[in-house]
Every structure is written in structure tokens, then in C-alpha cells.
Amino acid sequence: MKFLAITLIVHRPDPATGVPGPTHDRFREVLDNAVLAEELGFDGFGVGERHERPFLSSAPTVVLSHIAALTRRIRLFTAVTTLSLLDPVRAYEDYATLDHLSEGRLDLIIGKGNGTAQRELFDVTPEDQWDRNAESYEVFRRIWRQDRVTADTRFRPPLTDAEVWPRPYQRPVRVWHGSATSKESVELAARYGDPLFSANVTHPIEPYAELIRHYRERWEHHGHDPADIAVGAGSAGLYVARTSQEALAAYRPVFESNLAFQRTAGLPVVFETLEDFVARSSALIGSPEQVLDKVHRYHERFGHTVLHVSADAGGLPAARHRDSLELFQSEVAPVLRRDIPDPPFPWAPVRPRTAPEAVPADR
């Protein structure tokens, strides 16, 4: 099993003081957490993309490029790239550049995104966002694979024998399809034979397990080998301590702060108490033995081979957050790496051919 640390760069008031810290400091924290994730042995670090309050993750390629310069081994993920909002040509240019700067350490997780504010910001309607996502992905993947592309598009100007530079480092980049409960994302992933990443954060296990089951059915329907399936899954929170009592006591202020934010923002509340949250959500809060038991139970339903946990302290003191990550990597991750297989593809970058790329003559 592989492990990612992921941040959406949420910028909310400190649960202790009620005051948000400086934006600059929040970005610095993300960079420090990425370096820490590599130091502790995580396999990947992901940065989300959101274009609305309270997120600072509107430019993931910029953040990931900085992280690429600070790290050497860890793979870099988007979580998720909102292709329904983006021009696929411009998105390709940004991510192909990042792929070179990171020496082939880039993985993409794509999705339509959510949130009314960002749809309005980019003039995207609920009715057309799925079509936009599918069209953008079709163009994006063709540009990554073909030197010249012709495409009769609806949501951007058509392409006629178009060249887009730079040409990529990884040929092609691996693209995961992020989904919570939408069968549209699952169908797109299954059709192209791409891996799926289940959000697995907001609700109990059932809707996510059903979506993954549907993905496996559609995968085989499209003629792909079941042995090639790769599924990733998120987790709703992480705090590992020596005892369950210690873990609950440390995480309770974080849960209560998140609960207060959900109610203030008018968001639906699924788990009313910390005890219910720990019992029925995907949160990994407890002793190493309890966390191992929960991941194994989820694996029985999902068959996932990649797991993401939060890279952020989320209101925990920095020292406690680090202690939790260290305990996860020393006593939880080694057991899961032994018990659960890796995804069925190479994790290390596949080096490109050494021959120089052809440079077209000026016209």
C-alpha cells in the first residue's frame, strides 16, 4: 500500500484564538508539511484546487512547483485538478512544465470540482459541468499523447493541427479520477482504463463502497483486465496516539472546531459527536491497533491500494501533529505495506528517452 499526505490549504480561524493567521504563514506551513512528509517516508504529497473561501489552493501548479524544488523523492499529486473550470490547453501547459521541473514525479487526480462560488466565478453551470469535465479531459489526454491535435470542441475554440509545448516528460502522465458519489466520474475513469480515487471523507462507508463496486463493473464492461484496477481512498481525519483515550482527548478540540464551522457555514452535519465520527466515518483516530483495524475493514470493501491522510495539523499543536504522523509511519504504515499490495504500476518515474525532442522550424 502507498500513502499520500494531502492538503486543500484550508485557511480558517485558529480554533484556540478564533483568529486566522497570515496567509503567508499558511503557505509556509504547507511547504514545511511537504518536506516533513518526504522525511517521514510518505509516498506522495497532494495539493487540492479550490477557487472559493476558505481555501488558498487556487494555484496548485505553483505550490507543487515550489514543493518539487524542496523535495527529491516524493510523488506530487493534485487533489483534484478541476478540469470542468479550466482550459485544457492551458492546464496541459502548466502540468507538463511541472512534470519536467519535478523530473517525472507528477500524478494528476482530476474532477469536476464543487461549490457554487467557483462555478459562478468561471461561468460554469451545474448542467454543463460534467460535459465540460469530459471534454477537457479528452483534449488534455490527447495533447499529452499526440504532437498535433485536432479537436472539435464545444467549450473552448476548436483545435486544428495544434502543437502545444513543452512536450511532456512522462509519456503519459498517470491520471486518477477523483469522485465522491458521482457515477459520471466513474464512467470516465472506467472508459479510459484510469485509476479511481474515492473521496471517502464526508459520509459513512456505504455510498463510497457502492461507487467503487460500480467502477469495477464498468471497468470490465469496457474490456479492461480486472488485475489492472487501482483504487485510492481518502480519510476524514488522522490522529494516532498510544491509547484511544489519548487520541480522543487530543482530537476533540479539532472535531468541535470543525463541527462549529459546518454549522456556521450552513453545511450538512453528518456526525454529531466525536465518538460517532470515529466509529462511522473514515477518520483514523485511535491507537495504532485501532487504525490498522479500520484500514483493513475499509480495504475489505474497497480493495484500495493507496490511502491519503491529511497533511495539515488542522488545529492540533504542531508537535502533536508530527508525533501522530511519526507513529503512523513507524507502527501503522509498515503493517499495511506488508498486508495490502501496491497499485499495479510502477511508482517511480519512468525516465524518458534520451534522444532530444525535435524542434519545429520557424514558420
Side-chain angles (χ1 to χ4, degrees):
M1 180 171 248
K2 299 294 187 183
F3 302 97
L4 316 181
I6 284 183
T7 178
L8 302 181
I9 320 185
V10 179
H11 190 47
R12 283 166 37 194
D14 184 281
T17 66
V19 178
T23 296
H24 174 83
D25 291 354
R26 184 68 183 95
F27 280 121
R28 184 71 252 173
E29 181 181 24
V30 170
L31 301 178
D32 291 344
N33 285 340
V35 172
L36 175 63
E38 179 168 86
E39 174 189 331
L40 294 180
F42 280 88
D43 303 292
F45 189 89
V47 174
E49 180 181 336
R50 299 291 190 276
H51 299 273
E52 58 187 328
R53 187 195 301 263
F55 304 100
L56 301 178
S57 50
S58 57
T61 50
V62 178
V63 179
L64 287 169
S65 291
H66 197 146
I67 292 171
L70 298 174
T71 58
R72 291 292 177 268
R73 175 195 58 80
I74 201 166
R75 289 197 70 81
L76 308 176
F77 281 72
T78 63
V80 301
T81 297
T82 52
L83 278 182
S84 66
L85 309 180
L86 305 178
D87 183 309
V89 175
R90 191 72 184 93
Y92 166 83
E93 292 173 335
D94 286 345
Y95 284 110
T97 301
L98 171 56
D99 198 33
H100 279 280
L101 295 176
S102 67
E103 296 189 324
R105 288 188 283 145
L106 176 66
D107 271 52
L108 290 168
I109 307 175
I110 68 163
K112 70 167 180 62
N114 52 31
T116 301
Q118 63 181 10
R119 281 200 305 264
E120 293 176 349
L121 188 64
F122 288 88
D123 194 27
V124 173
T125 69
E127 293 74 26
D128 69 18
Q129 61 185 352
W130 287 113
D131 290 339
R132 286 177 177 270
N133 184 63
E135 177 181 287
S136 290
Y137 180 51
E138 167 65 21
V139 173
F140 182 92
R141 75 188 308 276
R142 288 177 60 190
I143 294 173
W144 206 285
R145 288 163 170 79
Q146 302 171 18
D147 291 339
R148 295 175 181 271
V149 172
T150 297
D152 185 15
T153 50
R154 289 175 54 200
F155 300 108
R156 60 144 290 125
L159 300 172
T160 302
D161 201 26
E163 293 181 300
V164 188
W165 289 78
R167 299 312 301 149
Y169 187 92
Q170 295 182 90
R171 296 177 181 250
V173 70
R174 184 160 49 245
V175 177
W176 303 68
H177 295 249
S179 182
T181 57
S182 59
K183 291 186 176 180
E184 289 88 345
S185 290
V186 163
E187 177 63 27
L188 198 62
R191 184 196 319 164
Y192 286 113
D194 294 332
L196 179 72
F197 218 107
S198 170
N200 191 39
V201 168
T202 307
H203 302 285
I205 193 171
E206 285 75 17
Y208 305 115
E210 170 59 25
L211 198 73
I212 292 170
R213 183 196 62 77
H214 180 70
Y215 167 66
R216 293 179 183 278
E217 289 180 354
R218 298 305 297 170
W219 178 277
E220 293 192 42
H221 170 81
H222 287 289
H224 305 301
D225 186 344
D228 294 334
I229 284 179
V231 173
S235 59
L238 174 72
Y239 190 76
V240 189
R242 285 297 171 189
T243 67
S244 60
Q245 294 83 358
E246 181 185 346
L248 288 171
Y251 202 82
R252 193 173 299 278
V254 177
F255 175 81
E256 292 176 350
S257 174
N258 291 338
L259 184 63
F261 174 79
Q262 290 173 333
R263 288 173 170 159
T264 301
L267 299 173
V269 175
V270 179
F271 307 102
E272 296 277 356
T273 67
L274 174 60
E275 287 72 16
D276 188 37
F277 179 64
V278 172
R280 294 196 304 123
S281 83
S282 61
L284 304 175
I285 299 167
S287 66
E289 294 77 14
Q290 289 171 312
V291 171
L292 283 167
D293 177 69
K294 177 173 276 191
V295 175
H296 277 112
R297 284 190 283 114
Y298 269 74
H299 177 70
E300 288 176 3
R301 300 287 300 276
F302 292 172
H304 59 308
T305 54
V306 179
L307 173 70
H308 89 52
V309 301
S310 175
D312 297 321
L316 287 166
R320 279 191 168 181
H321 177 56
R322 181 178 182 121
D323 288 346
S324 170
L325 293 177
E326 288 179 342
L327 192 55
F328 177 87
Q329 281 292 353
S330 64
E331 297 195 16
V332 176
V335 177
L336 295 175
R337 291 186 194 278
R338 182 196 68 206
D339 293 349
I340 298 174
D342 285 344
F345 41 67
W347 197 258
V350 177
R351 299 299 180 187
R353 295 178 180 178
T354 57
E357 295 173 312
V359 178
D362 292 336
R363 298 176 184 174

